[in-house]
Structure formats: structure tokens, C-alpha cells
Amino acid sequence: MTVLVLGATGATGRLLVQQLLDRGLKVKAIVRSCDTLPDSLRQHEGLSIITASVLDLSDIEMAEQVTGCEAVASCLGHNLTFQGIFGQPRRLVTDGAKRFCQAIRARGSGKPTKFVLMNTAGNSNRNLKEPISLAQSCVIGLLRLLVPPHRDNEEAADYLRTEVGQNDTEIQWVAVRPDSLFDEDDVSAYELHPSPTRSAIFNPGRTSRVNVAHFMADLITNHDAWEKWKGQMPVIYNKNEES
Ligand SMILES: NC(=O)c1ccc[n+]([C@@H]2O[C@H](COP(=O)([O-])OP(=O)(O)OC[C@H]3O[C@@H](n4cnc5c(N)ncnc54)[C@H](OP(=O)(O)O)[C@@H]3O)[C@@H](O)[C@H]2O)c1
């Protein structure tokens, strides 16, 4: 199986690439520069690197890149710099999801391709009635207005939820929602929920990036995990983590 990874140079993306390679999969990664990838990944025979800025690819080039891939995973996120947060492309995550899903359709393999999006517990799954306090709704409303990456994450999941939907013959999707991210070396115990069990604003949980990568790789490789979560937005928290 070959998997296309977007955002492979990111703090989570590179862990996902490693998880997929460790499971014996072939990985294609579209990266702006491979300088930040560790040598162990760059030199891995299972990894093909395409050097390009994802949104600069033409529709035809995107369709070429998804050809032969049974899954596409996006760990794209805005760099935490002034330019990354407030500059262009403001719809990096949404346009990445949308254009690669369109490329999957244009290629038309006749069987569903998996699309796994790294999203955030700060976003709601509006297919479910997820309870949010008035105070949290106000803060999220402000974030939506003032912090473009938050809106981008919401719109990316909304695209999958409302435009791809549940019955697409070419694309099945999962949007993974971690809470506050942190780094640890090894995969540890984690829990998955259909909806947040705590407030991402007032009582956030913690999720290690390596656990996000592990769960995303599981979704891609494990039939039961996929059948359980497809079309949903599972929230992932590390077990035994105090906020
Ligand atoms: N921080 C948190 O606590 C938290 C919690 C939940 C969810 N999230 C979400 O999780 C996602 C990933 O987080 P992370 O920490 O793994 O991200 P990260 O380390 O910042 O990685 C971001 C990736 O996106 C790429 N990228 C950024 N701007 C780009 C552009 N203009 N064109 C092409 N590629 C671009 C980066 O490529 P380069 O290496 O070339 O820059 C990198 O590969 C984000 O969407 C974030 O919102 C964050």
C-alpha cells in the first residue's frame, strides 16, 4: 500500500511517515524542503519525496501524485510565525483537503481512497450535537474571527463532513481531533472519543504527537479502526495526562 502524506516535514507529519514506514508501507511525501526531515527518513527506501509547495501543484499534478495511493493523510498546519498565522495561504489546510479530494475523484480508481485529516479538539463535529458552554462558544467565535488558522481547521473538517459526506464512492474520511499537542518519544496509552469529553478552551486535555501519528497510521492500516471511525471526527487524548 502507498500513502501520500501532506505536511510530512511537520512535527506530527514526520512521526506519521515513520509510523507508516515502520509498518512496511510505501510513503510519498510532498514537502517544500526536505532539509528538516531526519536522515533516517530521507534515506529510507520506502519514502519518495516530491519537492513542491502543495498548493502550487496544478490539478493534473495532484491527480498524478494520488495515482497509486490508497490513502492520503494531511498533517498540514500553519507555521507559528506572524506570516504563517496571518499571511497567505490562509486556507492551507482546507484547500489542501479539497484539492486532493478533487484529485482523488479526477483519478477515479473505482474504490474508496482514505483521507485522514489532522484537525483539532477546538473544532466541533456539527453532525453531532456536541454541547459547548456559552463562554466557550464566545471564545471560539472570536478565534474564528481573529485567528485564520482556527477558521481554516474548521473549514477543512466542514468540507469533509458536508461536501464529501458519508456516501462518496471515491473518498472515505476521518478527521482526527487532538487536544493540546506535546512531544514525547514513544507511543503511550491513549483514549479515543467521538466527541470532546472536556473543554478545549477552559480545561484542555493533552495529546502527544506520536500518539496522533500512531492513531492516523492505525486508521490507514487497520480495517476495524477504519470501519469504526470513518466519516467521524474522533478526539484523541493521552491517558493519565493531567492538564
Ligand atoms: N498546537 C496544538 O496544540 C494543536 C492542537 C490540535 C491540533 N493542532 C493542529 O495540528 C496540525 C499539525 O500540527 P503540527 O504541530 O504537527 O504542525 P507543524 O509542525 O507546524 O507542521 C506543519 C506542516 O505544514 C507545512 N506547511 C506550513 N505552511 C505551509 C505552506 N504555506 N505550504 C505548504 N506546507 C506548509 C509545514 O511545512 P514546512 O516544514 O515546509 O514549514 C509542515 O510540514 C495543525 O493544523 C494544528 O492546527 C494543533
Side-chain angles (χ1 to χ4, degrees), residues 7-12 32 53-54 75-77 79 89 92 118-120 153 178-181 209:
T9 50
T12 313
R32 294 194 284 191
S53 188
V54 270
C75 293
L76 287 169
N79 290 344
L92 169 70
M118 183 171 175
N119 203 238
T120 168
N153 276 332
D179 214 331
S180 299
L181 291 171
R209 288 183 172 88

Side-chain angles (χ1 to χ4, degrees), residues 24 39 43 96 111 129 210 217:
D39 284 347
Q43 287 159 12
K111 66 173 196 168
K129 295 215 165 6
V210 72

Side-chain angles (χ1 to χ4, degrees), residues 21-129:
L21 292 171
D22 288 349
R23 293 172 195 222
L25 276 65
K26 292 199 179 331
V27 178
K28 271 189 190 180
I30 303 175
V31 302
R32 294 194 284 191
S33 158
C34 58
D35 291 351
T36 53
L37 280 177
D39 284 347
S40 56
L41 285 185
R42 264 191 290 184
Q43 287 159 12
H44 198 294
E45 59 179 19
L47 177 64
S48 333
I49 297 174
I50 298 100
T51 308
S53 188
V54 270
L55 297 183
D56 289 347
L57 295 178
S58 68
D59 294 346
I60 290 171
E61 288 169 326
M62 284 189 184
E64 283 168 4
Q65 293 307 335
V66 296
T67 298
C69 295
E70 289 162 62
V72 177
S74 170
C75 293
L76 287 169
H78 296 257
N79 290 344
L80 296 180
T81 58
F82 187 84
Q83 167 62 29
I85 293 173
F86 296 105
Q88 298 294 342
R90 288 200 168 175
R91 290 168 52 95
L92 169 70
V93 185
T94 307
D95 287 347
K98 197 171 187 168
R99 291 193 58 212
F100 275 93
C101 285
Q102 287 164 349
I104 291 167
R105 286 215 186 84
R107 174 201 60 178
S109 74
K111 66 173 196 168
T113 297
K114 294 176 175 178
F115 192 97
V116 184
L117 175 72
M118 183 171 175
N119 203 238
T120 168
N123 184 24
S124 300
N125 179 352
R126 281 168 283 282
N127 282 349
L128 308 175
K129 295 215 165 6

Side-chain angles (χ1 to χ4, degrees), residues 119-124 126 132 136 140 143-144 150 153-154 177-179 196 199-201 235:
N119 203 238
T120 168
N123 184 24
S124 300
R126 281 168 283 282
I132 298 177
Q136 178 156 336
I140 295 281
L143 288 176
R144 196 174 290 140
H150 180 76
N153 276 332
E154 288 190 329
R177 291 186 286 172
D179 214 331
S199 162
I201 302 292
V235 180

